[in-house]
Structure formats: C-alpha cells, structure tokens
Amino acid sequence: MTNLPPPAEELRILDAELRQLDLRRAVLLRRRAWLVHTLRAAAAPQPAQGTGAAPGGPPAGPAAGAAARRPETTAPGVQNVLLVLGGVLLTVAAIAFTLVSWGHLGIAGRSLVLGALTVGALGAPVTLLRRGLRATAEAVSGLATALTVLDAYALHEVAFTGADGVGYAAAASAVLAALWAAYGVRLGLFHPLPLAVATAHLPLLLWAIAVGAGPLPLTAVLLATAAGGSAVALRAVSAPVRVVAVVGALGTGAVGVLSAGWLCWSASDPGSAARAAALLVVAAAVALMTGRFVPNREVAVAAAAAAGLCLVAGSAGVLRVSVPGEWTVPGCQLFAMLLLAAERTSLPLPLRQGLVRAAAAVQGFAVLWAVPLVAGSVLGPAVQAVTPWSGAPRTVRDAVFAGVPAPAHASTVPLVLAVVAAALVVAGRRTPRRPAVMVVALVLGWAAVLVLPVALQLPYTAGLVAQAAMVVAALGLAVRSDRADGGTSPLALTALLLAILTSVDLALLSLASESATIGVLVTLTVLFGAAGRRPRHAPFTVPAALAHATALACALGASAGLRPPHTALLVLVVPAVAALIASRSSGSRATVPVEVAGAAAGLLALALAVPDPPMLALVLSLNGVVAAATALRPERRAVGWAAAVLLPAAAWVRLAAWEVGTPEAYTLPVTGPALVVGYLRRRRDTAVSSWTAYGPGLAATLVPSLLAAWDDQHWLRPLLLGVAALAVTLVGARLRLQAPLVLGAGVLALVAMHELAPYLTQVVGALPRWVPPALAGLVLLVLGATYEHRLRDARRLREALGRLR
C-alpha cells in the first residue's frame, strides 16, 4: 500500500515541483527566443555595400529592432507625467494671470475671464469622465480647485476689500472645503476629498484668531478641530482621506494638548488650572472615543495611554496650585492608581491596557523625580572622606549635603518610592516576570528607606543606626530568599549587593566622627564576617568584611596617633587573615574574591609604608611571607613568584636604607636561595634544564658584579669575581651542566680581559705602527687557511655543549 503524506505536506511538495517547472519553462523560453533570433538573423538579406552597416555587425532583423526599441517606461506613467505637468503649467499660468495681468482688464472682463475659466475647468471633468478619460479629468479638476482659490482671492480684492483678511480666510476655507467635498463626492474624483479634509482644519482656528481669542479658547478650538479630524478618520472609506484626517488630527491634537498642559501647569490659581484641566479632560475623552472605534489594536492602546496621561496631567496641574509643592507628585501617583481601576470595568481590552500603561508611565516619572535625592544620599557621604573626623553634624541631611543645597520638595520622596515599590509587589504576583519585578521593587524599597532619614532630617546618630539596621535587614532578606528558593536567587543577590552598598555609604557617613567611625567599622566587620559563614554568600560577604577590616585598621592607627608607615603593620593583619581563610576554603567560590581582597589590603599597606624605607622593607618582607605561605597550596604555586620578588625587594630596600653601595650585598641573598630552590627542583624532576634551575640565581650575582668590576680600580673585586667564576666553571664541567659552565667561563674570560687590558695597551703602544696591521693580516691568512677545520671544531664544540644538561 502507498503511504500518502498529510495534505499540508503534499501541498508543500506540489508547490515546490510547480516552482521547479516554472523555472525550467523560463529557461526553455529564453533558449527558444535566442534560437528564433539566430534563425531570423541568418535568413535576413545582407545589406549592400555603402549602406553604413558594418559586416559582422548586429543583425537588423525584427527581433534586433524590437530589442533596440524596448520601452523604458510604461504608457500610464507617461500619461500621468504629461497630465500632471499640464495641470501644473495651467495653474501657474492662472496664478500669473490673476496676480500680474489682472489690472489690464476691467471689472466685467476680469469676472468674465476668471469665471469662464473656473466654470469650464469645473465642468470639463464631467465630459471627460463620460468618455472614460479619468486621469485627464483628475488633472483638470486639480486646475479647477486651484482656480477656485484664485476666485476667492479675487473676490476679496474686488468685493470684500474692507473685510478682515484672517476672518475672510476662515470663511473662504470653510466654503472651499464644502465645495470641494461636494464636487468630489458628486463626480467620484480622487483628489478633491483629501484636499477638502485638509482645508477643513483651518476655518475654526482662523476664526478664533480673527476674533482675538485668548490662549484658552484657541486651545479649545484646536481640540475641537482634532475631534472633527478623528471622526472623519474613523468614518472615511478612502485611504488618502484617512491619512490626511489622521495627520491633521494628530497635529492639532498634539498642539492643543501641549497648550492645555502649559496653561494648566502655569496657572496661578485653582480656577485657571481647573479650566485648563477641563480641556485636558476633553482631549482624554476624544482619545478614548478614538481608541474605542479604531480597528487597529496598537493605535487603540496608544490612544488610551495618551488619554490617561492627559487626565493625570490635568489633575497634577490643579494639585500644584491647591496643595503644598511636595504633595504634587504623590497626588499624581494617586490619580495614576485610580486609572488602574479601569481593569475592572467593561471597557475594551486595548483601552484598559492603554490606561494601565499610562499609570505605569506616571509611576516611572515619579521615580525619576526622586532620583536626585537618592543619588545625593548615596554619593553625598563621600565628601566626608575629604575632611574626616571634622565633627558630627546635627542632622543626617547636613552630613549628606555638606555645603550643597538639598533638592526642593524632597520630604515626600520616601512615600513616592514606597508606593511604587508596593505597586510592583502587588503586580508581581500576576506576571510571569515575577523575579525581575520583585528585584526592582526591592531596589525601590531600599531607596525609600535610605532617603527616609535625610528627608525627615533625623539626628546624625539616628541616621547611622537606621543605615546599620538596613544592612542587617538586607543580609537577613538574602538568607531568607536563599532558604525559600533553594539557591542563590536574583532577589538574594540583589539584597547582598544592596547590603554592601549601604555598608559603604554608612562607613563614609561615619567619617564625620572618630568614635562613630570606629564603632561603625567594627559593627560592619562583625556583621559581614558572621554572614560569611554561609557558603552561598561568602563570595560577597567575606571580601566585604575584609574591606571593612582594612578600613578599621587604618582608623585604629589614626586614632592611636600612628604615622601611616606604622599603620601599615596593622593593615597587614588583613592579608594574613585572608590567606588563612583562603586556605581553609580552598576550591570554593569565595577563594578568589578573598585572595583579591587580601592582595588589595597588602598593596594598601605598601602604599602607606613608602615614605619610611625601613618600614617599607619590613612590610615587603611580611607580604613576601604571606605570599610564600599561600604558595604552599598546590593550586597556588604561581604565587611563589610574587614571594620571590617581595623578599629580595625587602632586603634591597633595607640595604638601601643602610646606604650600602656594594651590589653583592643585594644579589648574594637572592643567589643562595635561588640555587637551593633550583637544586631541590632538579632532584624532583631530572628533566629540568640547568638554565631553568641555576641560570637565574647565577646571573643575579655574576652579571651585576661583572658590571661593577669593569669600572672598579681596585684588585679585590676582580680577584674574588674571577675565583667565583672559576669555581662555577669547574663545577659545571664536573657535573656536565651547561648553564654554570657557560656563565662561569664567560665571566672568567671577561674578568681576565679586564685585567690584561692595561698591559695590552702598553704593548701596543711600544710596538711599531706597522706591526698591528701585519699581525691582523697574518691572522686572517691563518684563519682562511684553516676555515674548514675550524668549522668542524666549532661543530664539535656545539655538540659537546649540547650533550651537557
């Protein structure tokens, strides 16, 4: 039995096969056309000589002529261009006649000529439509509409010369709009209706300007015009009419709404604000009605959102002049909350969604209004680091905004942020994006609590206690979120980060008082240290505890009157503790953050000890000890390089402090341990090269001593260096090690040359001048004669060195 595919699959297969057949048919048709052209060209008579056709040129058959005369445009396109161009030229001619040649005719002649042209232009499309010439009728009707505008202008210049120009323009635009609409509907023409709709937006506005209406009536006229345009856009069948009506309604409506909003927010008394707010309510009603009947869902949502914003803006304008300034934004929030009640009404779904979006936008604007106070509360305490322990201020606001004016109307900022946070918590229960919404709500709630002491101008001590309580609450929330979710949730991570940020802000804020600084840093160190017992939180809390401990060490040193280099010894306790913690939590996620925090504390200790070289040497050595202890762990062997740098650097700094100028005092302490380490490494791994094991240690002493001996005028240093180089060379030869042999022999040879240089100079000075060139020539002859032999010896020497380890 044959298994037939499903209908959808069979339809897809058939469509694919039909497309292949169409492609094959097109290829065959092109091939057929080429063959026909070739046969016709072969059958065509050859042109006679002298006719101008070149032999072998393109064929002159019908096919070739058709290809050469292929049209580049369509007949309707040519027709439209000609008709439009003709209509434009006739319109220009009519305008020129009206404006330039008008004065050469009498009143009767003027009326007769222009009237005859207008009547003819208006009547000609009737005859053209009967004969099926619609495009020509459209072009002539365009000329007729232009002539009617000229008729209106001429009528004002002849019969209504005393009439106000703006008022006459209002009446003329109304009459022309009605005339063009009736003309277009009666004849079924294309362009008069959009032109009538566009002109219909002018009469009311021009009439209001003519009668000297104020801003409020003008705004009402704009909104009324927008309402009419919206009605036309909803009921129009023709697409061009809808487009013109929509553009006009949006333009006049936007200008009207902006004007009403400006009048509402600039009003000086509740009555004026209420009248402007009434216009915004009208605009909202127009937008809602438009959104109710518009077929497009997105447009309906946007219209409802605009309506909601208009309602809130109107209520905010009335509140601004009716209540104290700090309650304007909370009032806007309240009205935005009322818009949410639309979800329980029978309004269409797009309108309800638009109103909800408007409410959300208002809440977003309210949060933006609160940003300056929040940013000042977070960043302002950093100013205390410039003048620490200058004295506790009276209130928290004085400590946060020291020397800077606080934002105006800030007392209700905590309420605004709390309302938005509560709204998000309620909305988060019904949305699939609950984790993200809850994170945003947590951040806003934290901001509300953070700015509460500043907004209420609490005493300085109360503000410190409040922020410490925030740190405890954030850490507790992180623990609770982890227990509820069974893992490190986004909410717990956000709570941890907020706790750390609050602790930094609290530490900076406490710098105004010495006792407050020490007490706060002790508390924060203990809190984050205790929180670090939870493995999930340790990557964040333990480094934070170490950072606060570092600050505490600096504060204790300053409180005890210690100089910064001596304070560095207290700071070094932190790297030691960090190394101990990292060794106990090796392999966990907290290991690297803890080590980074300890390294940062060690660098701070070095920076503090720089002014005192002896203390710097001690700090370097202690850091080296910590690094060496860390390198004992198998996964941290690379830290041994840091210890190898820090410990010699400590010795060198100490020698420099003692004003020791002998380089061997700096290099020998490095060479001895380096050679021991190299020896132990080669015992464990025989494949290690002698250059890796002994090269750095030997070079650390031999090279600096050689440079010093080259300029040394005494005999002791070269003698000792030569003896040492000879010993190294002999050891390398005895043990067949390449690095000691090459380094020792090279240094010994250079020391010998240095010692023989004065005698060679004396000998050269005593010889005749012809001796050096002669000796050089002799040497070149000998080298040339034995070149091949020397090359073989050089290869043997290289191979012998290569066999060494």
Side-chain angles (χ1 to χ4, degrees):
M1 296 180 64
T2 302
N3 293 325
L4 295 177
E9 181 65 19
E10 185 177 2
L11 179 61
R12 187 187 64 78
I13 295 173
L14 291 177
D15 289 340
E17 292 181 354
L18 289 174
R19 283 195 298 272
Q20 294 296 329
L21 291 175
D22 290 340
L23 292 174
R24 182 61 181 167
R25 185 173 183 274
V27 172
L28 295 176
L29 287 176
R30 286 197 297 270
R31 180 65 179 173
R32 181 181 182 279
W34 182 83
L35 292 173
V36 170
H37 167 70
T38 303
L39 292 175
R40 288 178 178 176
Q46 296 293 331
Q49 297 292 333
T51 59
R69 294 189 297 272
R70 179 179 296 173
E72 296 182 355
T73 184
T74 61
V78 175
Q79 163 194 298
N80 293 335
V81 170
L82 294 177
L83 291 176
V84 171
L85 182 60
V88 170
L89 292 177
L90 288 176
T91 303
V92 171
I95 294 174
F97 169 76
T98 304
L99 298 179
V100 179
S101 303
W102 186 256
H104 300 291
L105 299 175
I107 183 64
R110 302 171 192 170
S111 304
L112 181 62
V113 171
L114 196 56
L117 288 174
T118 304
V119 172
L122 290 173
V126 178
T127 304
L128 294 173
L129 289 174
R130 290 176 181 174
R131 297 190 177 185
L133 302 176
R134 172 168 290 276
T136 307
E138 291 283 354
V140 176
S141 65
L143 173 63
T145 54
L147 288 175
T148 54
V149 176
L150 296 177
D151 287 336
Y153 168 74
L155 190 62
H156 177 267
E157 294 296 321
V158 174
F160 300 100
T161 55
D164 177 62
V166 180
Y168 180 79
S173 59
V175 172
L176 289 176
L179 175 63
W180 292 340
Y183 184 68
V185 172
R186 180 68 180 83
L187 298 183
L189 294 174
F190 178 78
H191 87 279
L193 283 178
L195 191 60
V197 172
T199 309
H201 287 79
L202 300 176
L204 282 178
L205 181 61
L206 293 175
W207 171 79
I209 296 174
V211 299
L216 198 67
L218 279 175
T219 303
V221 166
L222 286 171
L223 294 177
T225 304
S230 301
V232 172
L234 291 174
R235 298 184 61 85
V237 178
S238 173
V241 174
R242 281 201 307 272
V243 171
V244 172
V246 167
V247 172
L250 288 177
T252 54
V255 175
V257 168
L258 292 176
S259 176
W262 178 79
L263 291 173
C264 188
W265 278 85
S266 62
S268 58
D269 58 275
S272 301
R275 286 189 290 271
L279 294 180
L280 289 173
V281 173
V282 171
V286 172
L288 283 176
M289 292 300 295
T290 303
R292 183 180 182 88
F293 294 105
V294 72
N296 190 294
R297 180 181 178 278
E298 296 298 329
V299 175
V301 172
L309 292 177
C310 288
L311 292 174
V312 175
S315 61
V318 176
L319 283 174
R320 191 188 65 83
V321 294
S322 303
V323 298
E326 59 268 16
W327 291 100
T328 302
V329 175
C332 293
Q333 282 188 298
L334 177 60
F335 282 103
M337 293 294 180
L338 295 178
L339 292 178
L340 297 177
E343 287 190 331
R344 301 184 180 275
T345 63
S346 59
L347 288 174
L349 179 61
L351 297 186
R352 285 181 280 159
Q353 291 179 342
L355 292 175
V356 170
R357 292 184 182 182
V362 172
Q363 304 300 333
F365 291 143
V367 171
L368 291 178
W369 172 77
V371 164
L373 184 63
V374 177
S377 301
V378 173
L379 303 177
V383 180
Q384 299 295 334
V386 179
T387 56
W389 298 352
S390 57
R394 187 176 60 87
T395 64
V396 180
R397 179 177 291 189
D398 296 335
V400 172
F401 296 97
V404 179
H409 307 306
S411 59
T412 56
V413 168
L415 176 62
V416 170
L417 295 174
V419 168
V420 179
L424 288 175
V425 170
V426 174
R429 299 175 180 174
R430 295 175 294 174
T431 177
R433 299 178 180 177
R434 185 175 182 275
V437 173
M438 297 305 293
V439 166
V440 176
L442 175 60
V443 173
L444 292 177
W446 166 83
V449 179
L450 179 69
V451 301
L452 183 60
V454 180
L456 299 181
Q457 301 188 33
L458 295 181
Y460 175 71
T461 305
L464 295 179
V465 173
Q467 288 203 359
M470 287 181 61
V471 175
V472 175
L475 292 176
L477 179 61
V479 173
R480 181 180 178 184
S481 300
D482 274 352
R483 289 176 178 173
D485 298 338
T488 304
S489 64
L491 191 63
L493 180 60
T494 305
L496 284 175
L497 295 178
L498 292 178
I500 295 173
L501 179 59
T502 308
S503 67
V504 173
D505 194 64
L506 175 59
L508 292 173
L509 192 63
S510 67
L511 290 176
S513 171
E514 178 179 352
S515 58
T517 301
I518 296 175
V520 165
L521 291 176
V522 169
T523 303
L524 293 177
T525 303
V526 173
L527 278 177
F528 283 98
R533 297 175 62 85
R534 295 184 61 82
R536 294 174 184 171
H537 301 163
F540 301 94
T541 54
V542 176
L546 293 174
H548 291 305
T550 304
L552 176 61
C554 295
L556 290 175
S559 178
L562 300 178
R563 295 175 52 244
H566 296 86
T567 304
L569 296 177
L570 295 177
V571 176
L572 282 176
V573 176
V574 176
V577 174
L580 179 61
I581 296 174
S583 65
R584 298 187 62 182
S585 62
S586 181
S588 67
R589 293 186 306 165
T591 303
V592 174
V594 168
E595 291 175 341
V596 170
L603 291 176
L604 177 61
L606 289 176
L608 293 174
V610 165
D612 190 348
M615 190 58 65
L616 177 60
L618 179 59
V619 172
L620 284 170
S621 62
L622 293 177
N623 271 321
V625 171
V626 173
T630 303
L632 295 177
R633 293 157 47 200
E635 71 276 10
R636 291 292 183 266
R637 296 298 189 199
V639 185
W641 292 101
V645 172
L646 290 172
L647 292 174
W652 294 345
V653 171
R654 171 59 66 179
L655 292 172
W658 287 340
E659 299 181 356
V660 176
T662 303
E664 288 78 10
Y666 297 87
T667 57
L668 285 176
V670 177
T671 297
L675 293 177
V676 172
V677 172
Y679 173 74
L680 294 177
R681 185 174 181 185
R682 278 183 59 84
R683 285 190 62 183
R684 283 200 300 261
D685 186 4
T686 56
V688 175
S689 170
S690 63
W691 287 103
T692 302
Y694 304 121
L698 292 174
T701 293
L702 293 177
V703 174
S705 297
L706 178 63
L707 295 176
W710 201 261
D711 292 333
D712 197 346
Q713 303 299 325
H714 301 283
W715 59 271
L716 181 60
R717 185 191 300 274
L719 176 60
L720 294 177
L721 180 60
V723 171
L726 177 61
V728 170
T729 304
L730 294 176
V731 171
R734 175 69 178 84
L735 300 178
R736 300 177 61 84
L737 298 177
Q738 190 179 91
L741 181 61
V742 173
L743 288 175
V747 172
L748 182 59
L750 291 175
V751 170
M753 289 179 59
H754 174 266
E755 294 303 313
L756 292 176
Y759 302 103
L760 292 176
T761 304
Q762 293 178 4
V763 172
V764 172
L767 292 175
R769 294 187 177 181
W770 56 268
V771 174
L775 291 176
L778 182 62
V779 170
L780 291 177
L781 288 176
V782 172
L783 289 177
T786 59
Y787 184 73
E788 183 178 1
H789 182 69
R790 299 304 180 190
L791 286 179
R792 185 169 63 251
D793 292 343
R795 284 195 295 270
R796 290 177 179 175
L797 178 60
R798 184 181 61 187
E799 292 173 357
L801 289 175
R803 287 193 295 270
L804 299 178
R805 290 173 291 174

